[in-house]
């Protein structure tokens, strides 16, 4: 999806980083340590988060968002795609909790509020269903000016 020279993959799990390095040897991957990115202030155009946040507590996400604020350019954007509970879909919510290993699947407002609380403006791009019972939320977040 991204040219190797413009990509930095991060994960706190060293085993996942080792696997990524084997699969994509031309790309750069680093183990995230102490919730700090090894990137200078305001140098990142995009942060891409796909199916990660529902594995992380709200407190941990708040810490990551502080760091994203630091590294994003003023025009930078966070792009997020996450499983999402729906108020009027209890069977779908039950299935997602049963099927998915994530302990923190949130509803749309909960995801967006995490970002708003960290001083980001959010824009829902799309809500969609994967398979028959699995709902996803696709949104972007930009630092408030």
């Amino acid at each position: 999806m991204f040219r190797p020279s413009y990509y930095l993959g991060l994960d706190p799990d060293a085993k996942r980083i080792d696997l990524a390095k084997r699969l994509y040897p031309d790309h750069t991957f680093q183990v995230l340590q102490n919730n700090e990115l090894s990137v200078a202030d305001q140098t990142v155009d995009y942060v891409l988060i796909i199916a990660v946040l529902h594995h992380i507590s709200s407190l941990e996400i708040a810490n990551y968002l502080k760091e994203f604020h630091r590294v994003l350019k003023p025009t930078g954007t966070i792009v997020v795609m996450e499983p999402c509970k729906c108020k009027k879909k209890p069977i779908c919510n039950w299935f997602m909790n049963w099927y998915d290993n994530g302990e923190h699947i949130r509803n749309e407002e909960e995801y967006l509020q995490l970002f708003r609380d960290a001083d980001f403006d959010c824009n829902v791009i799309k809500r969609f269903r994967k398979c028959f019972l699995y709902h996803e939320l696709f949104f972007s977040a930009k630092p408030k000016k």
Side-chain angles (χ1 to χ4, degrees):
M1 186 182 294
F2 301 97
R3 289 188 291 175
S5 59
Y6 291 98
Y7 182 84
L8 171 61
L10 300 164
D11 198 291
D13 185 340
K15 290 180 183 176
R16 291 179 187 262
I17 291 297
D18 290 341
L19 174 62
K21 286 178 177 180
R22 286 194 308 273
L23 292 174
Y24 303 98
D26 295 335
H27 286 73
T28 302
F29 297 94
Q30 296 176 1
V31 177
L32 179 65
Q33 296 179 353
N34 302 318
N35 293 336
E36 294 178 7
L37 304 174
S38 59
V39 175
D41 294 0
Q42 297 187 352
T43 57
V44 173
D45 292 303
Y46 294 97
V47 173
L48 179 62
I49 303 170
I50 299 178
V52 173
L53 300 180
H54 70 288
H55 295 281
I56 302 172
S57 73
S58 295
L59 180 59
E60 289 176 285
I61 291 171
N63 289 331
Y64 288 132
L65 291 176
K66 287 177 190 173
E67 187 66 355
F68 295 159
H69 241 301
R70 180 185 70 77
V71 302
L72 276 171
K73 293 179 179 177
T75 57
T77 303
I78 301 174
V79 178
V80 182
M81 191 178 314
E82 285 292 324
C84 184
K85 291 182 180 177
C86 300
K87 288 182 183 179
K88 297 183 180 183
K89 303 283 185 180
I91 293 171
C92 295
N93 296 341
W94 170 85
F95 173 78
M96 289 170 59
N97 283 330
W98 171 79
Y99 175 76
D100 196 289
N101 292 334
E103 295 180 15
H104 304 281
I105 301 175
R106 298 162 176 89
N107 64 42
E108 178 177 321
E109 184 55 32
E110 290 170 323
Y111 281 116
L112 299 179
Q113 193 60 50
L114 285 168
F115 284 78
R116 288 186 199 120
D117 289 347
D119 218 21
F120 286 91
D121 287 321
C122 299
N123 178 44
V124 173
I125 298 166
K126 188 170 186 173
R127 299 166 190 91
F128 61 97
R129 189 171 59 208
K130 224 169 49 174
C131 301
F132 182 63
L133 297 170
Y134 204 86
H135 290 264
E136 299 248 352
L137 177 64
F138 183 31
F139 69 97
S140 65
K142 292 180 175 279
K144 289 185 179 177
K145 298 188 180 194

mmCIF file of all heavy atoms in Angstrom, residues 37 41-42 47 63-74 78 115 118-121 142-145:
data_model
loop_
_atom_site.group_PDB
_atom_site.id
_atom_site.type_symbol
_atom_site.label_atom_id
_atom_site.label_comp_id
_atom_site.label_asym_id
_atom_site.label_seq_id
_atom_site.Cartn_x
_atom_site.Cartn_y
_atom_site.Cartn_z
ATOM 1 N N LEU A 37 7.225 7.165 19.808
ATOM 2 C CA LEU A 37 7.620 6.902 18.430
ATOM 3 C C LEU A 37 8.986 7.521 18.176
ATOM 4 O O LEU A 37 9.258 8.639 18.614
ATOM 5 C CB LEU A 37 6.600 7.515 17.468
ATOM 6 C CG LEU A 37 5.152 7.060 17.659
ATOM 7 C CD1 LEU A 37 4.234 7.852 16.747
ATOM 8 C CD2 LEU A 37 5.025 5.583 17.384
ATOM 9 N N ASP A 41 9.177 15.565 15.914
ATOM 10 C CA ASP A 41 7.919 16.306 16.016
ATOM 11 C C ASP A 41 7.450 16.777 14.650
ATOM 12 O O ASP A 41 8.255 17.220 13.820
ATOM 13 C CB ASP A 41 8.084 17.539 16.915
ATOM 14 C CG ASP A 41 8.372 17.178 18.363
ATOM 15 O OD1 ASP A 41 8.443 15.984 18.695
ATOM 16 O OD2 ASP A 41 8.525 18.119 19.166
ATOM 17 N N GLN A 42 6.145 16.697 14.434
ATOM 18 C CA GLN A 42 5.459 17.216 13.247
ATOM 19 C C GLN A 42 6.112 16.796 11.932
ATOM 20 O O GLN A 42 6.334 17.614 11.038
ATOM 21 C CB GLN A 42 5.352 18.739 13.333
ATOM 22 C CG GLN A 42 4.525 19.195 14.508
ATOM 23 C CD GLN A 42 4.260 20.684 14.506
ATOM 24 O OE1 GLN A 42 4.814 21.435 13.711
ATOM 25 N NE2 GLN A 42 3.399 21.129 15.404
ATOM 26 N N VAL A 47 -1.179 8.541 9.976
ATOM 27 C CA VAL A 47 -1.095 7.392 10.868
ATOM 28 C C VAL A 47 -2.257 6.487 10.466
ATOM 29 O O VAL A 47 -3.414 6.931 10.426
ATOM 30 C CB VAL A 47 -1.230 7.811 12.354
ATOM 31 C CG1 VAL A 47 -1.322 6.580 13.246
ATOM 32 C CG2 VAL A 47 -0.068 8.704 12.770
ATOM 33 N N ASN A 63 -2.860 7.697 25.637
ATOM 34 C CA ASN A 63 -1.410 7.914 25.607
ATOM 35 C C ASN A 63 -0.869 7.892 24.179
ATOM 36 O O ASN A 63 -0.025 8.710 23.815
ATOM 37 C CB ASN A 63 -0.694 6.869 26.455
ATOM 38 C CG ASN A 63 -0.936 7.081 27.934
ATOM 39 O OD1 ASN A 63 -1.144 8.197 28.392
ATOM 40 N ND2 ASN A 63 -0.946 6.000 28.688
ATOM 41 N N TYR A 64 -1.344 6.954 23.372
ATOM 42 C CA TYR A 64 -0.914 6.908 21.970
ATOM 43 C C TYR A 64 -1.332 8.182 21.232
ATOM 44 O O TYR A 64 -0.567 8.727 20.430
ATOM 45 C CB TYR A 64 -1.500 5.696 21.249
ATOM 46 C CG TYR A 64 -0.911 4.373 21.653
ATOM 47 C CD1 TYR A 64 -1.732 3.291 21.960
ATOM 48 C CD2 TYR A 64 0.467 4.180 21.722
ATOM 49 C CE1 TYR A 64 -1.194 2.063 22.325
ATOM 50 C CE2 TYR A 64 1.005 2.955 22.088
ATOM 51 C CZ TYR A 64 0.172 1.906 22.388
ATOM 52 O OH TYR A 64 0.698 0.695 22.747
ATOM 53 N N LEU A 65 -2.539 8.657 21.499
ATOM 54 C CA LEU A 65 -3.026 9.840 20.792
ATOM 55 C C LEU A 65 -2.202 11.081 21.126
ATOM 56 O O LEU A 65 -1.993 11.940 20.263
ATOM 57 C CB LEU A 65 -4.510 10.061 21.089
ATOM 58 C CG LEU A 65 -5.448 9.008 20.482
ATOM 59 C CD1 LEU A 65 -6.890 9.262 20.912
ATOM 60 C CD2 LEU A 65 -5.327 8.949 18.977
ATOM 61 N N LYS A 66 -1.701 11.170 22.349
ATOM 62 C CA LYS A 66 -0.794 12.273 22.697
ATOM 63 C C LYS A 66 0.460 12.212 21.827
ATOM 64 O O LYS A 66 0.941 13.234 21.331
ATOM 65 C CB LYS A 66 -0.402 12.197 24.174
ATOM 66 C CG LYS A 66 -1.490 12.580 25.121
ATOM 67 C CD LYS A 66 -1.022 12.400 26.561
ATOM 68 C CE LYS A 66 -2.171 12.545 27.522
ATOM 69 N NZ LYS A 66 -1.796 12.230 28.906
ATOM 70 N N GLU A 67 0.971 11.010 21.662
ATOM 71 C CA GLU A 67 2.178 10.840 20.848
ATOM 72 C C GLU A 67 1.888 11.110 19.372
ATOM 73 O O GLU A 67 2.698 11.725 18.670
ATOM 74 C CB GLU A 67 2.742 9.424 21.048
ATOM 75 C CG GLU A 67 4.062 9.180 20.389
ATOM 76 C CD GLU A 67 5.225 9.984 20.958
ATOM 77 O OE1 GLU A 67 5.030 10.848 21.844
ATOM 78 O OE2 GLU A 67 6.354 9.772 20.490
ATOM 79 N N PHE A 68 0.723 10.701 18.892
ATOM 80 C CA PHE A 68 0.353 10.989 17.502
ATOM 81 C C PHE A 68 0.238 12.497 17.288
ATOM 82 O O PHE A 68 0.635 13.007 16.245
ATOM 83 C CB PHE A 68 -0.952 10.300 17.120
ATOM 84 C CG PHE A 68 -0.888 8.797 17.126
ATOM 85 C CD1 PHE A 68 -2.036 8.047 17.231
ATOM 86 C CD2 PHE A 68 0.324 8.119 17.045
ATOM 87 C CE1 PHE A 68 -1.997 6.661 17.235
ATOM 88 C CE2 PHE A 68 0.384 6.732 17.054
ATOM 89 C CZ PHE A 68 -0.792 6.005 17.148
ATOM 90 N N HIS A 69 -0.308 13.201 18.279
ATOM 91 C CA HIS A 69 -0.385 14.665 18.188
ATOM 92 C C HIS A 69 1.012 15.253 18.012
ATOM 93 O O HIS A 69 1.218 16.175 17.216
ATOM 94 C CB HIS A 69 -1.005 15.231 19.464
ATOM 95 C CG HIS A 69 -2.270 15.987 19.239
ATOM 96 N ND1 HIS A 69 -2.355 17.095 18.433
ATOM 97 C CD2 HIS A 69 -3.504 15.799 19.732
ATOM 98 C CE1 HIS A 69 -3.578 17.547 18.434
ATOM 99 N NE2 HIS A 69 -4.305 16.775 19.217
ATOM 100 N N ARG A 70 1.950 14.724 18.734
ATOM 101 C CA ARG A 70 3.333 15.236 18.672
ATOM 102 C C ARG A 70 3.941 15.026 17.296
ATOM 103 O O ARG A 70 4.575 15.923 16.747
ATOM 104 C CB ARG A 70 4.203 14.546 19.731
ATOM 105 C CG ARG A 70 5.657 15.044 19.724
ATOM 106 C CD ARG A 70 6.534 14.268 20.680
ATOM 107 N NE ARG A 70 6.804 12.902 20.262
ATOM 108 C CZ ARG A 70 7.670 12.543 19.309
ATOM 109 N NH1 ARG A 70 8.362 13.453 18.653
ATOM 110 N NH2 ARG A 70 7.850 11.276 19.000
ATOM 111 N N VAL A 71 3.760 13.862 16.705
ATOM 112 C CA VAL A 71 4.471 13.534 15.463
ATOM 113 C C VAL A 71 3.743 13.974 14.199
ATOM 114 O O VAL A 71 4.382 14.147 13.159
ATOM 115 C CB VAL A 71 4.821 12.027 15.378
ATOM 116 C CG1 VAL A 71 5.675 11.613 16.559
ATOM 117 C CG2 VAL A 71 3.587 11.167 15.235
ATOM 118 N N LEU A 72 2.431 14.163 14.269
ATOM 119 C CA LEU A 72 1.696 14.554 13.069
ATOM 120 C C LEU A 72 2.002 15.995 12.662
ATOM 121 O O LEU A 72 2.091 16.882 13.504
ATOM 122 C CB LEU A 72 0.185 14.429 13.296
ATOM 123 C CG LEU A 72 -0.430 13.063 13.101
ATOM 124 C CD1 LEU A 72 -1.884 13.077 13.572
ATOM 125 C CD2 LEU A 72 -0.343 12.594 11.658
ATOM 126 N N LYS A 73 2.120 16.187 11.369
ATOM 127 C CA LYS A 73 2.191 17.544 10.838
ATOM 128 C C LYS A 73 0.855 18.232 11.129
ATOM 129 O O LYS A 73 -0.161 17.553 11.323
ATOM 130 C CB LYS A 73 2.421 17.503 9.315
ATOM 131 C CG LYS A 73 3.775 16.965 8.917
ATOM 132 C CD LYS A 73 3.905 16.928 7.403
ATOM 133 C CE LYS A 73 5.266 16.405 6.979
ATOM 134 N NZ LYS A 73 5.376 16.295 5.517
ATOM 135 N N PRO A 74 0.821 19.563 11.129
ATOM 136 C CA PRO A 74 -0.451 20.256 11.371
ATOM 137 C C PRO A 74 -1.558 19.839 10.405
ATOM 138 O O PRO A 74 -2.736 19.884 10.748
ATOM 139 C CB PRO A 74 -0.087 21.732 11.201
ATOM 140 C CG PRO A 74 1.364 21.792 11.524
ATOM 141 C CD PRO A 74 1.947 20.482 11.024
ATOM 142 N N ILE A 78 -5.044 10.957 10.925
ATOM 143 C CA ILE A 78 -5.100 9.573 11.386
ATOM 144 C C ILE A 78 -6.266 8.919 10.655
ATOM 145 O O ILE A 78 -7.370 9.472 10.618
ATOM 146 C CB ILE A 78 -5.322 9.481 12.910
ATOM 147 C CG1 ILE A 78 -4.197 10.187 13.666
ATOM 148 C CG2 ILE A 78 -5.431 8.016 13.341
ATOM 149 C CD1 ILE A 78 -4.427 10.270 15.169
ATOM 150 N N PHE A 115 -10.978 10.241 20.482
ATOM 151 C CA PHE A 115 -10.199 11.159 19.651
ATOM 152 C C PHE A 115 -10.549 12.613 19.956
ATOM 153 O O PHE A 115 -9.661 13.462 20.009
ATOM 154 C CB PHE A 115 -10.402 10.833 18.168
ATOM 155 C CG PHE A 115 -9.635 9.616 17.738
ATOM 156 C CD1 PHE A 115 -10.092 8.344 18.033
ATOM 157 C CD2 PHE A 115 -8.446 9.745 17.051
ATOM 158 C CE1 PHE A 115 -9.374 7.215 17.660
ATOM 159 C CE2 PHE A 115 -7.722 8.626 16.664
ATOM 160 C CZ PHE A 115 -8.189 7.357 16.974
ATOM 161 N N ALA A 118 -8.848 13.860 22.930
ATOM 162 C CA ALA A 118 -7.412 14.091 22.690
ATOM 163 C C ALA A 118 -7.182 15.263 21.725
ATOM 164 O O ALA A 118 -6.097 15.433 21.192
ATOM 165 C CB ALA A 118 -6.765 12.824 22.150
ATOM 166 N N ASP A 119 -8.221 16.055 21.496
ATOM 167 C CA ASP A 119 -8.121 17.268 20.693
ATOM 168 C C ASP A 119 -7.978 17.001 19.195
ATOM 169 O O ASP A 119 -7.183 17.652 18.510
ATOM 170 C CB ASP A 119 -6.974 18.151 21.195
ATOM 171 C CG ASP A 119 -7.335 19.627 21.138
ATOM 172 O OD1 ASP A 119 -8.534 19.955 21.104
ATOM 173 O OD2 ASP A 119 -6.397 20.449 21.093
ATOM 174 N N PHE A 120 -8.757 16.042 18.704
ATOM 175 C CA PHE A 120 -8.824 15.755 17.276
ATOM 176 C C PHE A 120 -10.243 16.023 16.780
ATOM 177 O O PHE A 120 -11.211 15.802 17.501
ATOM 178 C CB PHE A 120 -8.490 14.285 16.983
ATOM 179 C CG PHE A 120 -7.043 13.937 17.116
ATOM 180 C CD1 PHE A 120 -6.536 13.482 18.318
ATOM 181 C CD2 PHE A 120 -6.177 14.044 16.033
ATOM 182 C CE1 PHE A 120 -5.194 13.143 18.450
ATOM 183 C CE2 PHE A 120 -4.837 13.723 16.154
ATOM 184 C CZ PHE A 120 -4.349 13.266 17.361
ATOM 185 N N ASP A 121 -10.356 16.481 15.546
ATOM 186 C CA ASP A 121 -11.640 16.568 14.850
ATOM 187 C C ASP A 121 -11.817 15.277 14.072
ATOM 188 O O ASP A 121 -10.887 14.832 13.385
ATOM 189 C CB ASP A 121 -11.669 17.754 13.885
ATOM 190 C CG ASP A 121 -11.781 19.085 14.596
ATOM 191 O OD1 ASP A 121 -12.526 19.164 15.597
ATOM 192 O OD2 ASP A 121 -11.128 20.048 14.152
ATOM 193 N N LYS A 142 -8.158 14.548 12.585
ATOM 194 C CA LYS A 142 -7.118 15.551 12.337
ATOM 195 C C LYS A 142 -6.929 16.378 13.603
ATOM 196 O O LYS A 142 -7.902 16.662 14.301
ATOM 197 C CB LYS A 142 -7.532 16.481 11.194
ATOM 198 C CG LYS A 142 -7.579 15.806 9.840
ATOM 199 C CD LYS A 142 -7.994 16.819 8.777
ATOM 200 C CE LYS A 142 -7.931 16.222 7.401
ATOM 201 N NZ LYS A 142 -6.611 16.196 6.834
ATOM 202 N N PRO A 143 -5.682 16.768 13.885
ATOM 203 C CA PRO A 143 -5.465 17.639 15.049
ATOM 204 C C PRO A 143 -6.256 18.934 14.908
ATOM 205 O O PRO A 143 -6.321 19.516 13.817
ATOM 206 C CB PRO A 143 -3.970 17.929 15.007
ATOM 207 C CG PRO A 143 -3.369 16.876 14.143
ATOM 208 C CD PRO A 143 -4.450 16.483 13.164
ATOM 209 N N LYS A 144 -6.896 19.352 15.993
ATOM 210 C CA LYS A 144 -7.602 20.629 15.965
ATOM 211 C C LYS A 144 -6.598 21.758 15.815
ATOM 212 O O LYS A 144 -5.488 21.674 16.313
ATOM 213 C CB LYS A 144 -8.405 20.829 17.250
ATOM 214 C CG LYS A 144 -9.599 19.932 17.327
ATOM 215 C CD LYS A 144 -10.424 20.246 18.555
ATOM 216 C CE LYS A 144 -11.650 19.344 18.597
ATOM 217 N NZ LYS A 144 -12.436 19.569 19.805
ATOM 218 N N LYS A 145 -7.004 22.778 15.128
ATOM 219 C CA LYS A 145 -6.090 23.898 14.871
ATOM 220 C C LYS A 145 -6.165 24.910 15.978
ATOM 221 O O LYS A 145 -7.032 25.068 16.723
ATOM 222 C CB LYS A 145 -6.433 24.531 13.536
ATOM 223 C CG LYS A 145 -6.234 23.526 12.436
ATOM 224 C CD LYS A 145 -6.364 24.153 11.099
ATOM 225 C CE LYS A 145 -6.152 23.040 10.103
ATOM 226 N NZ LYS A 145 -5.929 23.229 8.845
#
